[in-house]
Amino acid sequence: MSTLSGTELGAAPGLLYFISMSHDGVVYYKVGVTKHTVHRRFPGKTINILATRPGTLYEVYSIEQNIINKHRNKRYCPPELKGNGSTECFKLDDIDVQTIIQYIGSA
């Protein structure tokens, strides 16, 4: 998506989200970008929305990539999301979670 800069698609509205989910008692976190609502992105799943930030697709994608790069060593691949956004999932501690929430609010 780095080719979004200066494109019509890159200028389209998007939403960055940071959520928590669980599977078999394991809590994990996901950061992502959607053109829709978070609940539409995960129909039928129980999610806890921790932070969102509207912007252009290019802006929110850039923020998402910064978060992914900073926390790459804490990646977690939940079986139920394999192939559907699982590369943006993490096992995080409380400090990481608060840092990401603050970053999304100030980016």
Side-chain angles (χ1 to χ4, degrees):
M1 263 207 219
S2 62
T3 58
L4 287 176
S5 179
T7 67
E8 187 174 321
L9 180 60
L15 182 70
L16 173 72
Y17 60 85
F18 180 52
I19 61 174
S20 66
M21 303 172 80
S22 66
H23 180 74
D24 289 338
V26 176
V27 175
Y28 61 93
Y29 300 88
K30 179 170 180 3
V31 63
V33 171
T34 184
K35 294 192 303 185
H36 307 290
T37 67
V38 180
H39 290 288
R40 183 171 171 188
R41 171 71 178 84
F42 297 99
K45 299 238 186 258
T46 301
I47 59 172
N48 182 23
I49 301 172
L50 302 172
T52 60
R53 181 182 181 96
T56 67
L57 281 176
Y58 178 73
E59 290 166 344
V60 296
Y61 172 78
S62 297
I63 297 167
E64 177 202 39
Q65 292 304 300
N66 287 339
I67 294 168
I68 289 170
N69 289 331
K70 180 170 177 141
H71 299 282
R72 74 177 67 207
N73 63 330
K74 297 181 180 185
R75 278 198 173 150
Y76 172 72
C77 187
E80 75 275 17
L81 290 183
K82 190 168 184 168
N84 186 22
S86 62
T87 60
E88 298 105 9
C89 295
F90 306 90
K91 296 271 303 205
L92 303 168
D93 61 31
D94 291 342
I95 294 171
D96 292 327
V97 171
Q98 289 306 312
T99 300
I100 291 171
I101 291 170
Q102 289 174 352
Y103 178 67
I104 289 172
S106 67

